[in-house]
């Protein structure tokens, strides 16, 4: 056979995997448009995809109801020791897990094609980029990888005959018997056979049994966060769960902001924000992941390792995010959303009533106000090219990356946390990131709606090693000689009055907070020192329509009693979760905060 590479180690690995999984055929992906259309035809012919008459070059997929999200309880960090995975990750001994998974992989691609996907996370040739090779039996994965990463021949060229790559093995885990087909159904395995496994020392990813999102598109959460976070620790850089945006002032000066928020805080909306303040421009560099390295000038440079958006559909509308809506006008894969009679998509919160009779994400007839459940699954998604986003920054693919001026943390917090406050130092910023949390809005299994779920740096599900060591890594980076560290801010768009009224209009009006942060980075706006950090001086943030001076005072005041409860919760319930390896420096910041609050 004529292979598109002479990389011996890669060819041997592909052969070994094919021998284990016994696919009917092996295909090397070239990343071409023709290949994408061939995959689309396979999906359409098998009945698992539906064409959308209203959106050029776009398809709808419906998954099985038991394969709709990342499976955190089946996600493993199989490091050599349990301590290296840490108390907040699932751990299995790597030898044992490999034995278990090899038994599952045996013959698992029977009746299917094994696709070899060479992909680059980050612009090909950038110093910050990394190459992965995903083996998969899912045409859906091939198509999504085409949009979310850079795929194909040019990646193999960059890899050469002995370049480094991260092997990513994936199977939906549903072999086909002779003459059997998927019958138009999304293939996957039962929950107890699903495994999303990471072998951090080997830089290796094995995924089995799920075809959905982060379980199957292995470049994203598995490589770009879990494995990359380990490499970043070892090599002195950062792999973070952060959007990257570019903000340009009326004077034409640009600054770059990276921001981490737990899920359901509108990260994609912030990345694509349309400012309400005249003359200011916000552009998108990335909406989910930032890889950041210090340059020889000491500045922290960030790239977006992805090439597309795998965004949550419900709630996305022309009001909440017009740039996302235009990103999905064409060339888009929709998963688990509603289908209209005229061949368009619809979801809850799209901004207009469902037009007539729909087919819901389960494939059943659905009518608004009449049918049970929702038309779209709450985790229904769009996969869209970054290059189709109207707000994408012209330099979003710069191989050097963009210099980060500010890092933002945030969460959905109806009380206590002010609209914005600023860290006094990098270490203090690390402390702020370590206490990030968000109000629980949808009923989870064991926790109450309205309580705070902590998700430090929004990395709890995505750090590939011990979170205590991860906090240490943040502190260590601040001590590198010659570095010019970004300023760190904590923002909260979600403050409410006691009567439930939103105190802050959010969305495009958040540009007023970004303007303030921009001015802070220029050393301009005035601040007031408080027990929690620096708060904007009066008048430094302009008032949106409907926000009074009194509202702004409320948004920016330090709620001493609320913060005391916050400290108590962190001390009793949050920090103890990280055990022995939690840095003493962070406990010291907690003690200092408490004594400052007691003196206030
Ligand atoms: O994404 C959001 N952002 C960030 C936008 C750049 N959302 C949606 C969160 C769910 C994903 C928000 N919701 C934001 C916000 O800033 N703020 C809110 C809360 C809110 C909701 C509705 C209103 C105001 C605030 N409506 C009116 O005031 C009329
Ligand atoms: Mn994410």
């Amino acid at each position: 056979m004529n292979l598109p590479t002479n990389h011996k180690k890669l060819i041997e690995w592909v052969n070994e995997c094919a021998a284990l999984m016994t696919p009917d055929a092996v295909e090397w992906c070239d990343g071409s448009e023709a290949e994408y259309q061939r995959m689309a035809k396979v999906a359409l012919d098998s009945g698992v995809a539906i064409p959308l008459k209203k959106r050029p070059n776009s398809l709808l997929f419906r998954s099985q109801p038991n394969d709709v999200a990342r499976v955190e309880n089946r996600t493993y960090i199989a490091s050599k020791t349990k301590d290296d995975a840490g108390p907040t990750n699932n751990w299995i001994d790597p030898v044992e897990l490999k034995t278990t998974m090899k038994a599952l992989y045996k013959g698992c691609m029977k009746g299917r094609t094994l696709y070899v996907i060479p992909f680059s996370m980050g612009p090909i040739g950038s110093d910050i980029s990394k190459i992965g090779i995903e083996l998969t039996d899912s045409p859906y994965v091939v198509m999504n990888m085409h949009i979310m990463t850079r795929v194909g021949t040019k990646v193999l060229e960059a890899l050469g005959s002995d370049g480094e790559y991260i092997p990513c093995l994936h199977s939906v885990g549903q072999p086909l018997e002779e003459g059997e087909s998927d019958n138009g159904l999304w293939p996957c395995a039962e929950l107890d056979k699903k495994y999303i496994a990471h072998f951090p020392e080997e830089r290796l990813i094995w995924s089995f049994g799920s075809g959905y999102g982060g379980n199957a598109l292995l470049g994203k959460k598995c490589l770009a966060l879990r494995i990359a976070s380990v490499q970043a620790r070892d090599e002195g850089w950062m792999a973070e769960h952060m959007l990257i945006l570019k903000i340009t002032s009326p004077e034409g000066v640009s600054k770059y902001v990276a921001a981490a928020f737990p899920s359901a805080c509108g990260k994609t909306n912030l990345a694509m924000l349309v400012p309400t303040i005249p003359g200011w421009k916000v552009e998108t560099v990335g909406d989910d992941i930032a890889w950041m390295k210090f340059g020889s000038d000491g500045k922290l440079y960030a790239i977006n390792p992805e090439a597309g958006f795998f965004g949550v559909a419900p709630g996305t509308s022309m009001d909440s995010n017009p740039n996302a809506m235009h990103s999905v006008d064409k060339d888009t894969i929709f998963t688990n959303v509603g289908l209209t009679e005229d061949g368009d998509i619809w979801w809850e919160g799209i901004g207009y009533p469902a037009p007539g009779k729909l087919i819901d994400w389960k494939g059943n007839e659905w009518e608004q106000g009449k049918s049970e459940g929702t038309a779209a699954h709450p985790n229904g998604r769009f996969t869209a090219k970054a290059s189709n986003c109207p707000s994408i920054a012209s330099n979003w693919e710069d191989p050097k990356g963009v210099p980060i001026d500010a890092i933002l943390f945030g969460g959905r917090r109806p009380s206590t946390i002010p609209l914005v406050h600023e860290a006094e130092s990098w270490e203090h910023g690390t402390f702020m990131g370590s206490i990030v949390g968000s109000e629980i809005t949808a009923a989870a299994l064991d926790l109450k709606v309205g309580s705070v779920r902590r998700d430090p740096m929004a990395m709890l599900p995505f750090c590939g090693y011990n979170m205590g060591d991860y906090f240490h890594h943040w502190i260590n980076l601040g001590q590198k000689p010659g570095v010019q560290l970004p300023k760190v801010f904590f923002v909260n768009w979600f403050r409410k009055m006691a009567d439930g009224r939103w105190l802050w209009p959010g969305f495009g009006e958040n540009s007023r907070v970004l303007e303030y942060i921009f001015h802070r980075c220029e050393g301009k706006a005035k601040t007031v020192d408080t027990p929690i950090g620096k708060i904007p001086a009066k008048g430094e943030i302009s008032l949106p329509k409907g926000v009074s001076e009194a509202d702004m005072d409320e948004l920016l005041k330090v709620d001493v009693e609320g913060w005391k409860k916050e400290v108590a919760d962190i001390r009793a319930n949050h920090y103890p979760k990280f055990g022995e390896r939690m840095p003493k420096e962070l406990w010291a910041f907690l003690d200092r905060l408490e004594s400052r609050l007691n003196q206030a």
Side-chain angles (χ1 to χ4, degrees):
M1 204 172 121
N2 202 7
L3 296 178
T5 178
N6 56 8
H7 195 300
K8 255 184 84 186
K9 196 176 144 203
L10 171 58
I11 295 166
E12 272 169 27
W13 175 63
V14 172
N15 287 342
E16 260 172 48
C17 291
L20 175 64
M21 303 189 294
T22 65
D24 288 5
V26 178
E27 260 184 52
W28 289 70
C29 296
D30 61 12
S32 65
E33 179 59 24
E35 176 174 276
Y36 186 88
Q37 297 308 333
R38 209 163 59 241
M39 292 300 109
K41 188 167 187 308
V42 170
L44 287 165
D45 289 350
S46 78
V48 70
I50 296 156
L52 293 167
K53 271 185 248 147
K54 284 294 169 85
R55 307 217 171 216
N57 194 32
S58 300
L59 297 178
L60 169 66
F61 287 78
R62 297 187 198 112
S63 78
Q64 294 283 357
N66 66 355
D67 200 29
V68 295
R70 288 186 299 102
V71 281
E72 290 192 3
N73 61 340
R74 307 293 305 168
T75 300
Y76 295 91
I77 303 299
S79 44
K80 284 184 183 137
T81 73
K82 184 169 166 39
D83 260 1
D84 284 343
T88 59
N89 279 313
N90 297 311
W91 180 84
I92 302 181
D93 175 82
V95 176
E96 180 190 331
L97 183 55
K98 281 192 178 175
T99 306
T100 306
M101 290 188 75
K102 273 185 189 161
L104 291 168
Y105 280 130
K106 192 166 186 227
C108 72
M109 290 191 183
K110 189 170 189 289
R112 301 186 189 276
T113 298
L114 188 170
Y115 301 100
V116 182
I117 313 172
F119 65 96
S120 175
M121 298 311 289
I124 294 165
S126 163
D127 283 348
I128 312 180
S129 297
K130 300 240 175 241
I131 289 174
I133 310 282
E134 178 161 351
L135 309 189
T136 183
D137 52 5
S138 164
Y140 173 82
V141 166
V142 176
M143 295 179 73
N144 275 269
M145 289 295 283
H146 265 235
I147 297 174
M148 294 305 296
T149 75
R150 287 111 176 144
V151 167
T153 312
K154 32 194 199 312
V155 178
L156 289 179
E157 279 164 16
L159 195 60
S161 60
D162 62 354
E164 232 179 81
Y165 66 91
I166 294 163
C168 307
L169 185 50
H170 172 253
S171 172
V172 296
Q174 194 176 308
L176 295 167
E177 293 311 318
E178 213 63 57
E180 195 189 2
S181 86
D182 285 328
N183 281 318
L185 296 179
W186 170 282
C188 63
E190 294 299 310
L191 182 64
D192 65 347
K193 287 190 178 149
K194 289 182 164 97
Y195 285 91
I196 318 300
H198 308 76
F199 302 92
E201 292 95 350
E202 272 186 84
R203 322 283 198 234
L204 172 68
I205 300 163
W206 282 10
S207 167
F208 185 91
S210 169
Y212 205 86
N215 301 331
L217 313 176
L218 302 184
K220 195 177 179 68
K221 305 306 191 180
C222 298
L223 193 162
L225 289 174
R226 298 198 190 94
I227 293 297
S229 63
V230 175
Q231 295 180 294
R233 175 200 61 190
D234 293 348
E235 298 165 9
W237 53 283
M238 308 174 84
E240 299 296 331
H241 191 199
M242 291 179 180
L243 65 87
I244 307 165
L245 66 81
K246 176 180 185 178
I247 176 166
T248 305
S249 69
E251 291 72 38
V253 180
S254 295
K255 297 198 181 292
Y256 297 90
V257 174
F261 299 86
S263 56
C265 290
K267 205 166 128 196
T268 300
N269 298 342
L270 183 62
M272 300 180 188
L273 171 143
V274 180
T276 53
I277 45 177
W280 288 79
K281 195 153 101 182
V282 170
E283 293 164 286
T284 311
V285 177
D287 83 324
D288 197 34
I289 301 174
W291 282 358
M292 303 187 281
K293 256 185 201 174
F294 289 103
S296 50
D297 58 1
K299 290 185 191 166
L300 188 60
Y301 287 86
I303 65 160
N304 170 13
E306 303 191 280
F309 312 118
F310 185 67
V312 174
T316 308
S317 69
M318 287 304 284
D319 280 332
S320 69
N321 194 336
N323 286 313
M325 290 305 284
H326 286 305
S327 304
V328 304
D329 282 342
K330 58 176 184 180
D331 311 329
T332 300
I333 299 169
F334 296 93
T335 309
N336 288 349
V337 303
L339 173 68
T340 67
E341 278 176 313
D342 61 352
D344 200 1
I345 47 76
W346 188 87
W347 52 69
E348 282 69 22
I350 199 169
Y352 51 86
K357 284 198 173 80
L358 268 59
I359 306 294
D360 69 12
W361 69 276
K362 292 179 176 169
N364 300 319
E365 282 191 18
W366 187 92
E367 246 183 293
Q368 196 161 25
K370 292 188 184 168
S371 305
E372 293 275 294
T374 54
H377 186 277
N379 194 37
R381 297 278 171 156
F382 54 79
T383 319
K385 296 179 182 184
S387 59
N388 278 347
C389 179
S391 62
I392 201 75
S394 59
N395 58 336
W396 77 281
E397 297 189 277
D398 189 335
K400 299 200 303 299
V402 297
I404 299 296
D405 298 286
I407 290 178
L408 272 51
F409 294 116
R412 182 189 277 264
R413 298 296 303 268
S415 67
T416 313
I417 315 290
L419 178 62
V420 57
H421 67 297
E422 180 184 330
E424 291 159 3
S425 64
W426 177 260
E427 290 73 21
H428 186 215
T430 303
F431 170 74
M432 282 182 174
S434 77
I435 66 172
V436 162
S438 205
E439 182 194 32
I440 294 167
T441 53
L445 298 171
D446 48 350
L447 292 157
K448 305 192 285 293
V449 170
S451 69
V452 177
R453 180 191 288 129
R454 304 268 168 203
D455 183 0
M457 284 83 168
M459 280 291 279
L460 202 55
F462 305 117
C463 184
Y465 60 102
N466 189 309
M467 279 296 281
D469 294 346
Y470 170 81
F471 296 133
H472 272 294
H473 180 55
W474 267 76
I475 294 170
N476 291 343
L477 288 171
Q479 285 157 11
K480 277 194 163 195
V483 295
Q484 248 174 277
L485 297 160
K487 283 182 173 293
V488 180
F489 298 83
F490 203 114
V491 297
N492 178 18
W493 321 132
F494 298 91
R495 284 290 297 276
K496 277 182 178 173
M497 296 291 275
D499 64 5
R501 178 175 71 94
W502 293 108
L503 259 171
W504 180 252
F507 301 96
E509 299 290 15
N510 294 335
S511 56
R512 297 174 195 277
V513 177
L514 295 179
E515 175 187 27
Y516 164 77
I517 289 167
F518 183 103
H519 285 147
R520 284 298 300 152
C521 292
E522 293 205 313
K524 279 185 187 159
K526 290 199 180 68
T527 62
V528 179
D529 289 321
T530 80
I532 64 168
K534 293 176 181 297
I535 296 276
K538 210 171 170 63
E540 292 291 358
I541 298 181
S542 60
L543 297 180
K545 205 171 101 232
V547 176
S548 65
E549 295 265 6
D551 289 339
M552 195 50 123
D553 290 347
E554 181 64 26
L555 280 161
L556 293 177
K557 82 158 201 248
V558 177
D559 171 3
V560 172
E561 291 315 307
W563 273 98
K564 284 181 181 171
K565 288 187 189 132
E566 188 79 7
V567 168
D569 178 53
I570 294 162
R571 192 180 289 291
N573 307 312
H574 179 50
Y575 272 12
K577 284 190 191 131
F578 303 106
E580 291 294 290
R581 297 199 194 178
M582 188 67 183
K584 308 248 177 320
E585 292 90 335
L586 295 184
W587 280 106
F589 270 106
L590 189 61
D591 293 342
R592 189 185 72 141
L593 175 56
E594 184 168 32
S595 65
R596 282 169 146 196
L597 290 165
N598 285 333
Q599 284 157 32

